[in-house]
Amino acid sequence: MKDSVYKSYEELPLFLNARTVAQVLGVSASSSYELMHQQNFPSLKIGNRIVVPKERFVQWVEQNTSVGNDECSDS
């Protein structure tokens, strides 16, 4: 896994492209493109570009993190 170059959500641009999503999540660019094409991911198509609004991305991370923690709990 790659290290994120961003240390907080405040450092992110208003709209994230595939490269930025990859950097934040610490995944490859191809993985971020695949993620951005999933139906439940908050992407926005503008012409030929796909971008992700920063606030929606943060919400998506928080929502999916809590689901992952619930599934992995030992209780």
Side-chain angles (χ1 to χ4, degrees), residues 58-70:
V58 171
Q59 289 174 343
W60 179 87
V61 169
E62 290 173 351
Q63 289 172 348
N64 286 278
T65 300
S66 64
V67 170
N69 288 342
D70 291 343

Side-chain angles (χ1 to χ4, degrees), residues 28-58:
S28 68
S30 61
S31 292
S32 75
Y33 279 110
E34 188 176 313
L35 181 63
M36 291 173 76
H37 283 92
Q38 290 184 2
Q39 189 172 6
N40 68 336
F41 194 78
S43 58
L44 173 65
K45 187 167 183 174
I46 303 173
N48 291 330
R49 291 187 66 210
I50 298 176
V51 295
V52 181
K54 172 181 164 177
E55 296 301 323
R56 298 285 310 277
F57 176 75
V58 171

